[in-house]
Amino acid sequence: MARPEYMLFDNTTTAIIYGYQQNAIQRMLDFDYACGRKTPSVAAIVNTERSGLHKVFFGKKEILVPMYRTLAEAASSHPSADVMVNFASFRSSYPTTKEALGIGTIRTVAVIAEGIPERRAKELAEIAKQNGKWVIGPATVGGLMAGAFKIGNTGGTIDNILASKLHRPGSVGFVSKSGGMSNEMNNIISRSSDGVYESIAIGGDAFPGSTLIEHLFRYEANPDIKMMVCLGEVGGTEEYKIVEAMKSGKLTKPLVIWVTGTCAKMFSSGVQFGHAGAKADGAEETADAKNKALAEAGAYVPHSFDDFGDKIREVYEGLTAKGKIIEKTEAPLPQVPEDFAAALKAGKIRKSANIISTISDDSGEELLYAGYPISHVIEKGFSLGDVVGLLWFKRKLPEYASRFIEMVLKITADHGPCVSGAHNTIIGARAGKDLMSSVAMGILTIGPRFGGAIDDAARYFSDAHDRGLTPKQFMDEMKAKGINIPGIGHRVKSVQNPDMRVTLLKKYAKENFPATPILDYALEVEKLTTSKKNNLILNVDGCIGILFMDLMRTSEDFTAEEVKNVLDLGYLNGLFVLGRSIGMIGHYLDQKRLEQPLYRHPYDDVAYMLPEPNLE
Amino acid sequence: MIAKIGGEIKVAQKAIREYDGKRMLARLIPDYSEGKVTIADRYVQVTPKTDAEALAGENPWLAKTKLVVKPDQLMKRRGKGGLVLLNADWSEAKKWIAERLNKEITVGTVNGVLDTFIVEPFVPHDQKDEYYFAIRSIREGDEILFYHEGGINVGDVDAKAAKMTVGILDDVDKADVEGNLLGNVPSERKTALAQFVRAMFKLYADNGFAYLEINPIAFTSEGPIPLDLAAKLDDTAVFECSARWGGIEFPDSFGKMRAPEEEYIKSLDEKSGASLKLTIINPRGRVWTMVAGGGASVIYADTVVDLGYAGELANYGEYSGDPTTDETYEYAKTLLDLMTREKDPRGKVLIIGGGIANFTDVAKTFTGIIKALKEFRQKLIDNRVKIYVRRGGPNYVQGLKQMRELGSTLGVPIEVYGPETHMTRVVRMALEAAPKEVA
């Protein structure tokens, strides 16, 4: 795989990609496939987070690309990869590029990041020079060799690559500073000639790792390149090296060049063009002066960027007329399978969704809760109750309802360590389980007996109320069914020793709800039950369930369908789970802080009552 | 008109105040000379917010020393402009500052308000003890300039100063500073000056400097003392150097004024990961541009100028780096507001241009622009605005389609082109639609 010195890439070149850039890797392989490469151009990925394999499409089939944690491992496992595409951040681009330049098998490093300190960039350029290596960038999209190899995201999407005929070589060597403009220039060149042979963007920084002239010299040396195109920029003196090289006969191939920034004369002389600490007001660094000098040296310089394409065509047609370029017949465009997501976005295909979400959306620029952007939720001071309203009822509930929900969450947040949820959480924590497992152990006890009375109370009381049963009839009916009335009764609290939580809930409802018909009905029932036994009071679970029914039924904000949903779908259990999780997390953390050992239930607390075995 | 071109032509090198530069030197120079070179940290800054009494309390030397006072606002040739007070006591210095603070002055062609001064001890010395010294960044490394004369009349140092390049990987301790730079200074000063030059170079190299000019250095019995200093830092080095820089400031050049709209776009730009730039060149101009990409935006402005419409170019601006819909909306709104403030019977044109994007979603960025265009519908009609669109890149088909659909309903002529049309051809079309004379 010996290549001439002037060729950085060919159609067997493979690269190590530094950084887990999945899109760029896929685009490189799509390009490879369109070029008819037999092997993909990505040999390996360096991902400092994890090693393993990365799955990626090569045409229609999927292949695996090995992933390493260090560049050293990647390079030693893939000695034939002589390019590194460095996607490291501006902070780590310098050390990683330096490391790459120190590895014998790597010859070219493309540095994508912007914002690398100039001093570091200069060091990298010098190290590369001393070692006979190439740095493309920093601050560039990279470049490509048509039909052979492309760096990262260069050339954009596959349809653009095909439209600009980048999947097969043309006769034009192109180099620019601007990475953004390189894609446009590939397009212009493909419309004005047989297309690019190679296209490199050296990057807009003051001290790029390789310069315009260095790439032009490569193009000069490459017999397959028949003409050159260059896009320069105002500021700096780089273009004068081209002038000198043309004058001294080191560049002889036709060169079409335009230096941008002719508008700079519109700005005051105080403009800083920021290149190389150069004095931007130096007359020789203006675009006009450079264009003039280049034209005088024999380059083809258009009047304006607007004529750039025409000038390229003129030179190209001159070469074909002289027989220096022989146009090849164009093969049919290769078919590259389209990426599903891109095709979907372009509206070319459709697919029915597997999942529907009507409450939240994270697919746009900002997270939405029931249509409300999260910034609105925060900036407008939505309460936790409001957020529950958005995500459970899909709208902002009235203030008093949101406050009621918050009140319920506060009241149900914990009930001491002895209830089954907290107890289970404690046992889990002490068995060394993690937070999620321990809290899940607690949550799993919530059901018909623990916490479930909220749901049942809401159901039975509203049903009895709606059927017009008198409290007495309701009590009798429940007795006949052999069911204790859910939400009635407390282990220690009684008429004389009321539960403060219930008192608070009732007070809030009386003060804020439009009406409380079911609560009123339940209080009538309570009068009867407490007359039998004074601890058969309306308990906190019952009160929450009943008031939630009152809340919904007396407000115009809820439909009958929603009221039914609240009962059928378990909203009320949800409220209890949500509130109680706060306490269970607290218990978990408490046990961990206290470094409590494994819990073992004491023997003396178990009544052992085994059957007599028949040991015959 | 003062303007900066943004986008891909980056200005990583930013000038700092003399006060910040000198204090940095005073703080750091011993570290780069094994303590052999020292500079007394006797510099104070006076701004409209300064409490002179408190300042004098914290810096007793102010009352005991003769002083120099200069505006510290990145202006050149202060001495020649009569903007330096020499050999004054503290009360004279205060009076001199009070007479100038918040006053508008003209330096060259630029007007600006004086609002920052540096006060430092006056160093009595002879003209023959002044030297010129500078370091500048070049591709191969850094170039040191030294001249055995200094001060405001030093002249063309580029032509006459002794120069020495220290290669980017080279060690200044191994370079022949004495031989290359100090040939014309008295031999008894060579050691001290060489030590000074080496320490300065190391400080410069290790702290993200891109330019350092001390003119003059005064050679006194205490050794070399920097009198006037100008410096630029490479602001991309901030992540390596911020601790040593301290709370440094990158002020605008003297007299730089921004219109509120430019200020607003700058604030959007600073908050965003994308790039948003706006410079108003001529608010009465009839050719307005809203171009994607740093490289392309310069070329669009170039083409307007190249085709002879320089006087009509209203603005320079660009958006790039995949801005959000909201950002392009805000950007477009600001621009449309500016261009519809004052009617012109000849009408106006808006060029919504761009090359072929590498990965920016064209349809997404157009969504924000379209929203703004709809909002300004009536004003666009009233101002007889014609719109020319040209763009390519990911999802461009969809983006251009949205623009065409808008054109058919907005009541404002919109012509839409894709990659098949040369990038700047719309400039030509737009200019033909904006004749210099009323048709």
Side-chain angles (χ1 to χ4, degrees), chain B residues 3 18 26 55 63 85 115 120 132 175 212 241 258 276 325 355 396:
Chain B
E18 183 170 12
L55 194 68
L85 175 69
D115 59 14
E120 62 188 36
Y132 175 90
L212 175 65
C241 302
R258 279 194 196 87
L276 300 159
T325 303
Y396 82 94

Side-chain angles (χ1 to χ4, degrees), chain B residues 130-159:
Chain B
E130 292 194 346
Y131 299 113
Y132 175 90
F133 170 71
I135 311 174
R136 61 190 180 194
S137 177
I138 58 173
R139 180 169 177 81
E140 296 72 27
D142 297 280
E143 190 175 41
I144 308 178
L145 286 80
F146 189 92
Y147 192 59
H148 60 282
E149 292 168 18
I152 53 176
N153 295 312
V154 67
D156 184 1
V157 284
D158 238 341

Side-chain angles (χ1 to χ4, degrees), chain A residues 16 62 77 148 166 170 234 259-260 275 282 321 329 412 549 564 583 598:
Chain A
I16 294 167
E62 288 180 282
S77 307
L166 302 174
V234 61
V259 179
T260 70
H275 279 192
T329 46
T412 57
M549 285 296 105
K564 188 170 176 300
L598 179 67

